[in-house]
């Protein structure tokens, strides 16, 4: 599959209609899976989901794809703790001033309450995610994790987030699996709104 950079280098962005900026690979995988499940073919539609490797890199991506660069339609997904980076970068690139959350959404940028994993665990349900962990052959390892002193008194939701965040590739793996498992009528609002917007 072509990436946004391939499209840019292959003809100054020819065929690239819109760019969705997300913080990391897990966000990109979830957006792509849910769009596919909704019958969307993002690449065929000229839409590229770009994992920025952290919210602080948004300025560099706006330089490339925004009004001063390729001037493509923009959208994005971010965590609440990273909202200030998105607001400042959009403002610096002439895409608004003192943007409220509603104004960010009007421009296609949607906030996850904590992070993507939190949204998906709530949507699938902690018990449902635990079943995914079991199907992946990781339930014994998860049970050991639950017994750790720092986690044993925490709820299942928190323990699952720790499982995903504590292993290399865990967020990406479970983001994809949860996006495949979530009922389409329970897709978290920020993901649902983002896919509708693009």
């Amino acid at each position: 599959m072509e990436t946004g950079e391939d499209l840019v280098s292959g003809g100054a962005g020819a065929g690239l209609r819109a760019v969705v900026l997300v913080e990391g690979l897990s966000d990109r995988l979830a957006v792509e899976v849910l769009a596919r499940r909704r019958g969307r073919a993002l690449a065929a539609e000229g839409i590229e989901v770009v994992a920025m490797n952290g919210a602080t890199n948004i300025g560099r991506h706006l330089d490339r794809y925004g009004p001063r660069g390729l001037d493509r339609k923009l959208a994005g997904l971010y965590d609440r703790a990273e909202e200030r980076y998105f607001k400042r970068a959009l403002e610096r690139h002439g895409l608004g001033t003192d943007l409220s959350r509603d104004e960010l959404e009007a421009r296609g940028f949607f906030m996850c309450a904590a992070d993507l994993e939190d949204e998906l665990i709530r949507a699938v349900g902690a018990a449902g995610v635990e079943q995914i962990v079991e199907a992946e052959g990781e339930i014994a390892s998860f049970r050991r994790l639950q017994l750790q002193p720092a986690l044993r008194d925490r709820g299942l939701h928190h323990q699952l987030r720790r499982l995903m965040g504590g292993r290399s590739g865990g967020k990406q793996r479970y983001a994809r699996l949860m996006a495949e498992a979530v009922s389409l009528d329970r897709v978290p609002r920020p993901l649902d709104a983002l896919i509708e917007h693009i």
Side-chain angles (χ1 to χ4, degrees):
M1 186 175 102
E2 288 183 310
T3 67
E5 292 187 25
D6 293 329
L7 290 166
V8 171
S9 63
L16 183 62
R17 180 179 67 79
V19 176
V20 179
L21 301 174
V22 296
E23 292 187 40
L25 182 56
S26 60
D27 305 273
R28 190 187 93 196
L29 291 168
V31 170
E32 289 173 345
V33 165
L34 288 167
R36 176 185 50 76
R37 289 185 63 207
R38 288 259 168 95
R40 303 283 301 274
L42 298 183
E45 295 175 38
I47 300 169
E48 180 69 22
V49 184
V50 176
M52 300 185 297
N53 196 27
T56 58
N57 292 318
I58 186 172
R60 180 169 63 88
H61 289 85
L62 289 176
D63 285 340
R64 177 178 294 158
Y65 301 113
R68 300 174 195 157
L70 292 173
D71 197 21
R72 296 302 187 249
K73 178 179 180 179
L74 298 170
L77 188 69
Y78 63 90
D79 299 343
R80 179 188 313 231
E82 315 303 341
E83 185 171 61
R84 66 190 182 279
Y85 297 115
F86 276 69
K87 287 174 71 170
R88 282 195 302 242
L90 290 168
E91 290 169 5
R92 277 197 308 271
H93 284 79
L95 298 169
T97 305
D98 196 26
L99 295 167
S100 68
R101 191 161 297 144
D102 286 342
E103 290 168 328
L104 285 167
E105 290 193 356
R107 285 161 177 78
F109 290 84
F110 301 91
M111 181 198 76
C112 293
D115 57 25
L116 175 85
E117 292 75 28
D118 174 69
E119 294 279 359
L120 286 169
I121 292 169
R122 279 190 282 117
V124 174
V129 176
E130 194 173 30
Q131 290 174 354
I132 294 171
V133 172
E134 185 166 13
E136 289 298 297
E138 294 196 329
I139 199 69
S141 176
F142 180 54
R143 294 291 181 242
R144 288 191 297 274
L145 179 74
Q146 289 178 296
L147 294 174
Q148 291 181 1
L151 291 176
R152 70 170 60 123
D153 294 328
R154 304 297 298 264
L156 180 58
H157 183 103
H158 180 83
Q159 293 167 342
L160 288 164
R161 286 184 69 201
R162 180 65 180 272
L163 171 74
M164 294 168 195
R167 297 175 179 200
S168 177
K171 285 188 174 189
Q172 294 90 341
R173 180 180 181 192
Y174 282 102
R176 181 181 55 78
L177 291 166
M178 290 188 292
E180 291 283 6
V182 69
S183 172
L184 288 178
D185 62 359
R186 291 187 51 84
V187 172
R189 182 189 175 277
L191 286 159
D192 190 50
L194 174 66
I195 292 166
E196 182 68 26
H197 181 83
I198 59 174

